[in-house]
Amino acid sequence: MRNKRIQLFLACIIGMFILINNIIISNATSKKKESSKKVVLNANLADSNYLKKVKKIFKNPNVEEIYVYDNTLLDNNSSYGVTYNLYTNKINKSGIIMQTVPVVLPKNVKIKSDSVGKNAIAKTSGSPGDKLSINRTNSISRSVTTTNSANIPVSNAAISIAVGYNVTLKDSLSITGSCTVPKKNNGKKVKTMSYNAYAIYQVKTFDLEYSNGINRKKVGSGTAKRAYGIKFQRKYTYK
């Protein structure tokens, strides 16, 4: 009787071990499959040769998104080319902002998480067997948004110095990619597939500080964005 109890106890322990092990393996497989849907790639977006890498990655039917980053674009901090005038809030050759008080200036610049544009900058779609391709060059404007409770505006020149690049310029992105619409995806029959490209933006935030030469206070905040990457995405509809 005692031996039977021991055998039953051991059988329960072994059964629980097998169950837990299967759960761990299942979760690991699920996470691996989930992570394989997104691939990150570093490339020179001015060189269309990165298309070969994109095509190769998209041969994997599980991949739905490719994020292509070009960090060299962040190093392109073109000269502001602004001459200094004491009363127009512009910049002198040394990059020093010279303004009469009271004045509002950006402070406490921080780099935040990247953002992806809501609207596609290039897109196409097709049916099984169609070869979809995107091949174009877009000039993406840098952007600045601010909220300012003071009656004194903050200049783009001042923001440019604070964030480290000219916020009035554009960045050129070579948007190149191609893939073939499969007949099936994950065991399902494909009806259509869309192939879209979205701009990826570096995001910097800052505070706006008012100063009258004696006192200072925060009067608002702002956000500056510049494109330095492309998100390729494919989506399916099924029969």
Side-chain angles (χ1 to χ4, degrees):
M1 188 72 177
R2 183 178 179 184
N3 289 336
K4 288 184 178 180
R5 289 180 178 178
I6 293 174
Q7 289 175 356
L8 180 61
F9 175 75
L10 291 175
C12 290
I13 294 296
I14 293 171
M16 290 178 62
F17 175 79
I18 293 173
L19 179 61
I20 293 172
N21 188 55
N22 288 338
I23 292 173
I24 292 173
I25 293 174
S26 177
N27 288 339
T29 303
S30 177
K31 288 180 180 179
K32 185 176 181 181
K33 186 175 181 181
E34 182 179 347
S35 63
S36 68
K37 292 183 178 181
K38 173 183 173 181
V39 175
V40 176
L41 175 66
N42 292 309
N44 181 355
L45 292 177
D47 184 356
S48 61
N49 284 329
Y50 76 86
L51 165 63
K52 296 178 181 178
K53 295 181 180 179
V54 172
K55 288 175 65 177
K56 184 177 180 180
I57 294 170
F58 266 145
K59 286 182 179 180
N60 182 345
N62 292 323
V63 176
E64 296 179 357
E65 299 175 344
I66 301 177
Y67 289 70
V68 185
Y69 294 95
D70 185 353
N71 290 308
T72 62
L73 289 174
L74 300 180
D75 298 329
N76 182 21
N77 299 324
S78 303
S79 172
Y80 304 117
V82 181
T83 56
Y84 173 68
N85 184 302
L86 181 61
Y87 300 103
T88 57
N89 296 336
K90 292 186 178 180
I91 304 172
N92 64 6
K93 291 182 179 180
S94 66
I96 300 173
I97 301 170
M98 302 178 67
Q99 297 174 296
T100 55
V101 293
V103 66
V104 173
L105 295 175
K107 301 285 185 179
N108 304 321
V109 178
K110 297 179 181 178
I111 298 178
K112 297 294 185 178
S113 299
D114 293 340
S115 70
V116 178
K118 294 181 179 179
N119 299 319
I121 53 179
K123 58 183 178 180
T124 184
S125 62
S127 302
D130 293 344
K131 183 178 180 180
L132 307 182
S133 62
I134 297 172
N135 192 345
R136 60 185 297 180
T137 299
N138 278 33
S139 292
I140 311 296
S141 297
R142 301 170 185 178
S143 66
V144 175
T145 57
T146 60
T147 57
N148 183 359
S149 62
N151 292 324
I152 303 169
V154 58
S155 68
N156 283 333
I159 296 173
S160 296
I161 285 293
V163 300
Y165 58 83
N166 191 329
V167 297
T168 66
L169 298 184
K170 296 181 179 182
D171 293 291
S172 180
L173 300 183
S174 175
I175 307 164
T176 306
S178 68
C179 61
T180 301
V181 182
K183 293 181 180 180
K184 289 185 177 181
N185 182 56
N186 291 327
K188 300 178 182 178
K189 291 184 178 180
V190 174
K191 182 178 180 180
T192 62
M193 187 187 81
S194 61
Y195 185 43
N196 304 328
Y198 302 84
I200 301 173
Y201 298 89
Q202 182 198 60
V203 180
K204 289 187 177 182
T205 60
F206 51 87
D207 296 329
L208 292 180
E209 184 181 88
Y210 166 88
S211 174
N212 60 8
I214 300 174
N215 299 314
R216 296 181 179 182
K217 65 177 180 178
K218 180 181 175 180
V219 292
S221 60
T223 302
K225 296 181 180 181
R226 67 181 300 186
Y228 81 114
I230 301 171
K231 171 189 172 182
F232 291 99
Q233 182 183 57
R234 55 184 181 185
K235 289 185 176 181
Y236 299 93
T237 61
Y238 298 98
K239 293 180 181 179

